[in-house]
């Protein structure tokens, strides 16, 4: 794969392609960071709600008579289950939303890379979700990013040596 990429380096080793590859890499990182932040926020809210509900349940039980305890405990269990269901539903919605947005970014990346004839992208229909194809495309993008980063480092070293 790397030999194939190096063989057509003249086609993709340009500033425009670099901007495209780096731009999509950044978009994917931002999309993932946004998703993880939303999941963490949801987790904190759920933990807070669980804690406050437990405190409320405890206060009800303290003031309850022996006969009321069973009814209150059953009510508390139902409320705990409802809270857990709502949390799982919200988390599932976040995952679905993230999957759709990330899929859209991947499709746009596939379209852009196909237009500039990058091997591994040029012969694949944009929107393909085949894990093997996506893995190869990720390796290609990572390789290109690595090459661009090495070029930047070499340019910086040359500039430092000239100074």
């Amino acid at each position: 794969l790397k030999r194939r990429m190096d063989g057509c380096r003249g086609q993709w080793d340009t500033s425009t392609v670099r901007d495209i590859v780096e731009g999509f890499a950044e978009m994917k990182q931002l999309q993932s960071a946004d998703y993880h932040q939303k999941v963490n926020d949801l987790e904190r809210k759920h933990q807070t709600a669980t804690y406050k509900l437990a405190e409320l349940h405890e206060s009800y039980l303290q003031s309850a008579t022996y006969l009321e305890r069973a009814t209150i405990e059953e009510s508390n269990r139902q409320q705990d289950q409802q809270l857990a269901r709502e949390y799982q539903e919200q988390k599932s919605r976040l995952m679905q939303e993230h999957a759709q947005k990330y899929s859209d970014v991947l499709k746009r990346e596939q379209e852009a890379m196909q237009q500039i004839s990058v091997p591994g992208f040029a012969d694949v229909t944009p929107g393909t979700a085949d894990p093997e194809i996506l893995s190869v495309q990720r390796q290609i993008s990572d390789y290109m990013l690595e090459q661009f980063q090495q070029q930047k480092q070499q340019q910086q070293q040359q500039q430092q040596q000239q100074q």
Side-chain angles (χ1 to χ4, degrees):
L1 179 63
K2 290 180 180 178
R3 278 188 294 223
R4 197 167 149 211
M5 289 298 295
D6 289 339
C8 64
R9 187 178 201 124
Q11 293 175 334
W12 61 264
D13 196 0
T14 66
S15 62
T16 302
V17 173
R18 181 179 304 127
D19 291 344
I20 290 169
V21 171
E22 290 174 344
F24 278 109
E26 185 176 343
M27 285 173 62
K28 289 186 279 189
Q29 285 177 338
L30 291 173
Q31 182 65 39
S32 291
D34 180 57
Y35 166 71
H36 290 295
Q37 182 63 47
K38 287 179 180 178
V39 169
N40 288 338
D41 290 347
L42 178 62
E43 180 67 29
R44 276 192 296 282
K45 287 177 186 176
H46 176 68
Q47 288 174 350
T48 300
T50 300
Y51 177 77
K52 289 185 181 214
L53 191 58
E55 283 183 333
L56 183 64
H57 292 171
E58 187 60 33
S59 72
Y60 287 157
L61 286 173
Q62 286 178 356
S63 62
T65 65
Y66 181 75
L67 296 173
E68 295 171 324
R69 280 183 173 274
T71 304
I72 291 173
E73 286 177 357
E74 178 59 29
S75 174
N76 292 351
R77 229 181 339 276
Q78 289 174 357
Q79 289 174 350
D80 289 341
Q81 290 171 349
Q82 178 65 26
L83 184 63
R85 263 193 310 279
E86 290 171 3
Y87 167 73
Q88 289 302 325
E89 289 170 4
Q90 289 173 347
K91 190 171 181 180
S92 177
R93 275 195 298 276
L94 283 176
M95 287 190 300
Q96 290 172 351
E97 178 185 303
H98 170 67
Q100 181 60 49
K101 287 180 179 179
Y102 199 80
S103 175
D104 291 344
V105 170
L106 287 177
K107 182 178 180 184
R108 289 175 30 215
E109 178 185 36
Q110 289 171 336
E111 290 169 347
M113 298 292 265
Q114 188 176 56
Q115 288 177 357
I116 55 178
S117 302
V118 173
F121 288 88
D123 53 349
V124 175
T125 303
T128 298
D130 182 317
E132 289 181 33
I133 291 172
L134 293 176
S135 175
V136 169
Q137 290 178 342
R138 186 172 32 255
Q139 290 173 21
I140 291 167
S141 294
D142 290 347
Y143 179 71
M144 292 172 80
L145 282 170
E146 180 183 308
Q147 296 302 308
F148 294 145
Q149 288 171 350
Q150 286 177 0
Q151 285 177 354
K152 281 182 184 178
Q153 288 173 349
Q154 289 172 353
Q155 289 171 352
Q156 288 172 350
Q157 288 172 354
Q158 288 173 353
Q159 288 173 353
Q160 289 173 351
Q161 288 174 354
Q162 290 173 356
Q163 293 174 354

